[in-house]
Amino acid sequence: DVKVTQSSRYLVKRTGEKVFLECVQDMDHENMFWYRQDPGLGLRLIYFSYDVKMKEKGDIPEGYSVSREKKERFSLILESASTNQTSMYLCASRRARGYTFGSGTRLTVV
Amino acid sequence: AQKITQTQPGMFVQEKEAVTLDCTYDTSDQSYGLFWYKQPSSGEMIFLIYQGSYDEQNATEGRYSLNFQKARKSANLVISASQLGDSAMYFCAMRETDSNYQLIWGAGTKLIIKP
């Protein structure tokens, strides 16, 4: 089974800090995704990547950037964290008929 | 306009009963895929079932089945013989043809199974 690992389950950061959320998958998948999940809003796509060094903006890219230097690793970067970026962040990797998700990172910005 | 609509924000169901979670979708594509995911309180998203728009049979996976009504654009999830462990958020999602494999998500339904 594909494993998608997010480096942290819980993070607390201060406003203005640069924050890195890491995601690693172990099945050589080309497509990887970063979502943000907020109550009542479902999942919203921040960025996705379809290959190394390739990235595309999703629905809510403002305030975020991403990095894909190696196929297995897709990083989400909050250049200057703000309180409205407090949320659950989910990474996913595409498989044949579905997507495998990591266990999520709950980020709180204070 | 909403592309995926889940009209039930929350549901209470007695253990061992069957439960149907509603999902309607909106697309002009002929080829698309529909997914259901479960998210327990632990936060991970668990893939449950997939239905392709050209699949002739309704998808089934163990206790999960998908009631696919193409003309009505509905893809309801049916859980038979519900268990306490089924308590979770359930999300319906759609992938359209030229979407770069992006998924469009519904807002979710919180299902609580009562003992």
Side-chain angles (χ1 to χ4, degrees), chain A residues 99 101, chain B residues 36-40 42-49:
Chain A
Y99 300 75
F101 283 81
Chain B
W36 276 94
Y37 280 84
K38 172 184 178 181
Q39 187 181 39
S42 57
E44 62 182 310
M45 294 287 274
I46 302 166
F47 169 74
L48 294 179
I49 198 165

Side-chain angles (χ1 to χ4, degrees), chain B residues 41-87:
Chain B
S41 55
S42 57
E44 62 182 310
M45 294 287 274
I46 302 166
F47 169 74
L48 294 179
I49 198 165
Y50 168 84
Q51 179 84 42
S53 59
Y54 290 121
D55 293 344
E56 293 186 355
Q57 308 261 4
N58 284 347
T60 60
E61 293 280 352
R63 291 186 302 113
Y64 304 107
S65 60
L66 202 151
N67 184 2
F68 182 46
Q69 299 190 39
K70 200 169 179 177
R72 293 185 177 186
K73 292 189 175 175
S74 79
N76 298 340
L77 177 71
V78 180
I79 307 173
S80 62
S82 58
Q83 302 170 357
L84 296 178
D86 293 334
S87 293

